[in-house]
């Protein structure tokens, strides 16, 4: 029903829907031919030798399709680029460069939508509104503006950035999701895909994230929550929300643009060391993960600014209260940088649920004790491994990893030959793709955030090692968990003591019952199974005897026709036993 609703939106959307399905159908047919048909008719080598090139061409074609269609397809490509758990590297690498940059919407259409949402002409809603977009993306575009005098007094700032959705984006998103759900239904019926990935669940996770991203009220609430988390941290700021000029499709935030975090020349011109920025940025991102459980999942250079403090450390107009509260919350003697990190664009946030946090704690503890089996158990707790996963290969790979790197501290890993890391990475990639592994949406966004963080920090400081930033949090996590471990061990010891205390009495009771003859064993199932095995063996022997008599009779037929005929005739008897012995067995089966 969903797809038919999408087709009812009009010719352009119907054509879009069919184009997405057509592309998916061609991909599935190609995959079926090369991965199923060719290996079955003896052309496995042809399929394997062409796989890398085919995957790369497929990703390139989807790249072109996503750019042409825009809308949610660009988000789909970005989503796929991070699915290292279910997609080969040829696809993820090609799609990693897919940028959400599209031609801007004509200003007349933007004005019409914004005025309809706000209920007043833009000339009344804002003292000024820049017709030239600050940025244009597939779901919306941003314009600079100035609040009216009355609104500025209420808000406490006047320079703002107004995000306005692209007209008709709701229908485009609904159409794209309907097509994706249809494709997921196809994939669910293909066994070798369904065994490895729950495609409908993936689509629903992606749909939830996408629908939240086009709800600007959700983004505004996320911006406020992020600002509250760092309200007393002088390192971090976020824009403030002008709620009087914010709706589901229009978002008005204080203008906090400053030096882009990756603009190394501008940072140095402002007297800011890029390596310090890398260190603080990593600390802030891991604070979000381990302390707040609410992580900015799209920390690319366009979404983070480095804002120098004003003379005396005063906060900048339109920023959250973090910088203004810094002097009050600072620890005596602690040195804070003369700048802060300002985050924007909170449409993609990763909530870290308790289940994943608990699984991550288990994962850290298992890693600290070099317990490969424990790490697999933690992966199952987090929800990474599907129920059908065969874990022995993963345990073996983890054991090999610990045998080589387990005795090293995080910082020591810097001295390891990168080629050795690459070898382990290739092996792990192959192992993970051979397993029915699927990352939950929350964990996927966390991995995306950590990956972007690592890349950003390495760009700012070539000597940056992300493990050094993780180490303090891992140490603290293990320390916090130690109390729980002691309690768990104590409870287990009490439980074991109770079992040992009752064990002699239970053994004595069992011996008494055996002496009295009151203990019986039901062996009927074993007997039936042995009976079946015996029958199978007998029928197998009969089959061999039939083949021997038939072939022997055929061989001697030309030399001794009488003997050959007798042997071939007698072979019918073992043949009949082979075919019909199981039909005339008596007794329970």
């Amino acid at each position: 029903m969903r797809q038919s609703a999408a087709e009812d939106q009009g010719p352009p959307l119907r054509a879009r829907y069919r184009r997405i399905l057509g592309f998916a159908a061609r991909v599935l047919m190609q995959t079926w031919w090369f991965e199923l048909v060719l290996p079955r008719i003896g052309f496995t080598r042809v399929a394997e030798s062409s796989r890398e090139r085919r995957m790369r061409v497929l990703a390139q074609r989807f790249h072109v399709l996503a750019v042409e269609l825009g809308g949610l397809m660009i988000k789909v490509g970005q989503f796929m680029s991070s699915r290292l758990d279910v997609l080969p590297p040829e696809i993820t690498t090609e799609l990693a460069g897919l940028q959400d940059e599209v031609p801007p919407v004509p200003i007349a259409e933007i004005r019409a939508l914004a005025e309809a949402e706000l209920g007043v002409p833009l000339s009344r809603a804002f003292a000024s509104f820049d017709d030239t977009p600050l940025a244009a993306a597939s779901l919306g575009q941003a314009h600079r503006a100035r609040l009216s005098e009355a609104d500025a007094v209420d808000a406490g700032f006047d320079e703002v950035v107004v995000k306005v959705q692209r007209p008709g984006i709701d229908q485009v998103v609904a159409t794209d999701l309907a097509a994706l759900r249809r494709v997921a239904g196809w994939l669910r019926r293909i066994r070798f895909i369904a065994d490895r990935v729950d495609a409908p669940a993936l689509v629903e996770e992606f749909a939830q994230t996408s629908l939240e991203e086009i709800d600007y009220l959700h983004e505004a609430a996320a911006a406020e929550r992020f600002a509250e988390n760092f309200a007393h941290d002088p390192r971090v700021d976020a824009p403030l929300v002008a709620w009087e000029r914010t709706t589901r499709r229009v978002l008005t935030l204080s203008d906090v643009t400053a030096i882009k975090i990756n603009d190394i020349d501008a940072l140095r011109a402002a007297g800011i060391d890029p390596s310090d920025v890398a260190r603080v940025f990593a600390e802030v991102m891991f604070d979000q993960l381990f302390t707040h459980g609410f992580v900015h999942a799209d920390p690319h250079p366009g979404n983070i600014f480095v804002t120098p403090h004003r003379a005396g450390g005063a906060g900048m107009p339109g920023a959250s209260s973090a910088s203004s509260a810094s002097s009050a919350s600072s620890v005596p003697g602690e040195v804070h940088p003369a700048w802060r990190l300002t985050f924007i664009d909170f449409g993609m946030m990763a909530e870290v649920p308790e289940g994943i946090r608990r699984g991550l704690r288990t994962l850290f503890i298992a890693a600290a004790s070099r317990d490969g089996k424990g790490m697999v158990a933690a992966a199952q707790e987090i929800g990474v491994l599907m129920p059908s996963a065969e874990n022995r290969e993963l345990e073996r790979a983890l054991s090999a990893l610990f045998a080589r790197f387990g005795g090293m501290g995080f910082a020591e890993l810097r001295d390891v030959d990168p080629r050795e890391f690459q070898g382990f990475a290739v092996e792990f990639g192959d192992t993970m793709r051979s397993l029915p592994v699927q990352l939950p949406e929350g964990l996927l966004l966390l991995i995306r955030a950590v990956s972007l963080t690592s890349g950003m920090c390495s760009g700012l400081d070539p000597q940056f090692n992300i493990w050094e930033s993780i180490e303090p949090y891992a140490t603290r996590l293990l320390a916090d968990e130690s109390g729980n471990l002691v309690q768990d061990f104590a409870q287990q010891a009490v439980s074991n003591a109770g079992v040992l205390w009752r064990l002699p009495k239970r053994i004595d009771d069992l011996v008494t019952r055996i002496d009295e003859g009151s203990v019986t064993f039901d062996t009927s199932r074993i007997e039936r199974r042995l009976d079946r095995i015996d029958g199978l063996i007998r029928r197998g022997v009969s089959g061999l005897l039939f083949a021997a008599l038939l072939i022997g009779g055929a061989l001697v037929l030309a030399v001794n026709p009488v003997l050959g005929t007798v042997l071939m005739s007698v072979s019918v008897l073992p043949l009949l036993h082979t075919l019909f012995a199981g039909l005339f067995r008596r007794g329970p089966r």
Side-chain angles (χ1 to χ4, degrees):
M1 295 300 293
R2 284 171 172 165
Q3 51 263 37
S4 61
E7 288 184 313
D8 289 340
Q9 297 294 336
L13 292 181
R14 283 200 298 271
R16 178 186 185 91
Y17 176 80
R18 291 168 180 166
R19 188 173 178 189
I20 295 171
L21 292 185
F23 180 86
R26 288 192 297 272
V27 171
L28 289 178
M29 288 297 295
Q30 183 187 68
T31 303
W32 171 78
W33 175 256
F34 281 96
E35 303 299 333
L36 293 180
V37 176
L38 289 185
R40 289 188 178 183
I41 60 177
F43 290 94
T44 303
R45 185 173 298 178
V46 174
E48 291 179 350
S49 63
S50 64
R51 183 175 294 122
E52 182 177 342
R53 180 185 58 81
R54 285 187 288 107
M55 293 298 102
R56 188 177 298 108
V57 171
L58 167 63
Q60 291 170 350
R61 289 176 178 171
F62 181 84
H63 193 144
V64 173
L65 176 73
V67 171
E68 290 180 357
L69 292 181
L72 215 54
M73 286 298 101
I74 290 179
K75 299 294 182 184
V76 171
Q78 293 172 338
F79 180 79
M80 291 168 61
S81 72
S82 59
R83 296 306 315 216
L84 302 176
D85 54 328
V86 296
L87 293 174
E90 293 81 16
I91 291 180
T92 57
T93 301
E94 173 65 29
L95 296 180
L98 189 58
Q99 298 297 317
D100 193 3
E101 293 290 340
V102 297
V105 177
I107 188 59
E109 296 181 29
I110 289 294
R111 282 182 169 274
L113 188 147
E115 290 176 350
E117 280 290 302
L118 297 175
V120 295
L122 286 186
S123 57
R124 287 180 54 191
F126 301 99
S128 64
F129 188 91
D130 190 353
D131 288 346
T132 302
L134 181 64
S138 58
L139 302 182
Q141 64 188 49
H143 293 257
R144 278 196 169 96
R146 184 186 297 272
L147 290 175
S148 66
E149 184 175 348
D151 287 341
V153 170
D154 291 338
F157 54 89
D158 59 353
E159 300 288 342
V160 294
V161 171
V162 183
K163 287 179 64 175
V164 183
Q165 277 188 12
R166 297 179 78 89
I169 194 62
D170 286 341
Q171 291 78 16
V172 170
V173 168
T175 300
D176 292 354
L177 289 179
L180 293 174
R181 288 180 174 120
R182 182 73 174 271
V183 174
W186 294 347
L187 297 177
R188 185 175 54 187
R189 294 179 175 87
I190 302 175
R191 183 173 180 180
F192 85 94
I193 295 178
D195 287 344
R196 295 196 63 247
V197 58
D198 186 351
L202 272 183
V203 170
E204 292 308 318
E205 290 172 357
F206 176 72
Q208 180 180 354
T209 301
S210 302
L211 294 174
E212 289 176 352
E213 196 167 353
I214 62 172
D215 183 353
Y216 287 165
L217 292 175
H218 181 272
E219 180 176 345
E224 286 204 334
R225 178 178 172 184
F226 183 90
E228 289 172 2
N229 287 344
F230 290 95
H232 302 291
D233 191 330
R235 304 170 301 168
V236 184
D237 265 337
L240 300 174
V241 181
W243 284 104
E244 290 296 322
R245 297 300 177 219
T246 294
T247 70
R248 195 181 73 83
R249 296 196 285 180
V250 174
L251 174 62
T252 304
L253 300 168
S254 57
D255 187 355
V256 292
T257 53
I259 304 172
K260 278 191 175 183
I261 190 171
N262 65 337
D263 192 342
I264 294 178
D265 292 337
L267 291 175
R268 287 177 174 154
I272 300 172
D273 187 346
S275 61
D276 290 340
V277 175
R279 175 182 54 80
V280 173
F281 176 54
E283 291 174 358
V284 168
M285 291 301 297
F286 288 119
D287 269 345
Q288 295 174 44
L289 173 59
F290 293 111
T291 303
H292 304 296
F294 190 61
V295 183
H296 194 299
D298 197 22
H300 64 73
N303 286 340
I304 304 152
F305 299 109
V306 178
T307 307
H309 287 310
R310 283 183 170 181
M316 301 291 285
S320 66
S321 58
S323 59
S324 59
S326 62
S327 59
S329 62
S330 298
V331 178
E334 186 177 354
V335 178
H336 296 292
W339 46 268
R340 62 186 182 277
L341 295 170
T342 303
F343 288 75
I344 63 171
D345 194 349
F346 301 92
M348 190 183 296
M349 302 296 293
E351 184 92 37
V352 189
E354 181 55 34
I356 289 183
R357 298 185 77 174
R358 186 170 58 248
L360 288 175
R361 285 195 294 269
T362 305
L363 193 66
F364 269 107
I365 293 168
S369 58
R370 307 182 214 175
D371 180 7
K373 188 172 183 179
M375 290 191 72
V376 171
Q380 291 174 321
E381 183 176 1
I382 294 171
V384 170
L385 291 176
M386 295 177 69
S388 59
E390 174 55 57
N391 300 328
R392 279 176 292 187
E393 278 301 309
L394 182 56
E395 289 180 14
R396 184 197 62 77
L398 288 171
S399 298
L401 178 69
F402 286 130
R404 174 63 183 92
F405 305 112
M408 299 182 180
F410 286 120
E412 293 178 271
L413 295 173
R414 170 185 294 176
D415 299 326
V416 177
D417 188 344
R419 289 173 296 183
E420 192 169 359
F421 276 131
Q422 184 178 4
F424 272 96
V426 170
E427 179 182 356
F428 263 90
D430 293 341
T431 300
M432 295 299 285
R433 278 186 290 277
S434 69
L435 294 173
V437 173
Q438 181 166 304
L439 301 181
E441 174 71 7
L443 187 60
L444 174 66
L445 292 177
L446 291 179
I447 293 174
R448 171 184 171 86
V450 172
S451 175
L452 290 174
T453 299
S454 178
M456 182 89 72
C457 292
S458 297
L460 291 167
D461 178 10
Q463 302 301 316
F464 176 80
N465 185 349
I466 196 168
W467 297 108
E468 292 180 347
S469 299
I470 295 177
E471 187 172 17
Y473 298 95
T475 303
R476 187 180 69 190
L477 190 61
L478 290 171
D480 292 343
E481 195 69 16
S482 61
N484 295 333
L485 287 174
V486 171
Q487 183 178 0
D488 290 344
F489 283 136
Q491 291 176 349
Q492 188 64 41
V494 171
S495 176
N496 291 342
V499 172
L500 292 173
W501 177 264
R502 294 188 298 271
L503 188 58
K505 185 175 184 343
R506 292 185 175 184
I507 294 175
D508 184 62
D509 291 342
L510 179 60
V511 172
T512 301
R513 292 175 63 190
I514 293 174
D515 288 340
E516 294 173 350
S518 59
V519 177
T520 60
F521 301 93
D522 182 10
T523 62
S524 60
R525 294 180 63 187
I526 298 176
E527 291 173 355
R528 287 196 298 270
R529 182 160 295 182
L530 290 174
D531 191 36
R532 291 174 185 172
I533 293 174
D534 179 67
L536 289 173
I537 293 174
R538 291 176 183 274
R539 292 170 69 183
V541 172
S542 294
L544 291 175
L545 185 58
F546 158 71
L549 290 172
L550 182 64
I551 295 172
L555 291 175
V556 302
L557 186 64
V559 179
N560 191 336
V562 175
L563 179 59
T565 301
V566 169
L567 290 176
M568 294 177 67
S569 300
V570 172
S571 70
V572 174
L573 297 176
L575 173 63
L576 292 174
H577 180 265
T578 302
L579 295 176
F580 301 112
L583 299 179
F584 302 104
R585 300 183 62 187
R586 295 180 180 179
R589 297 295 301 267

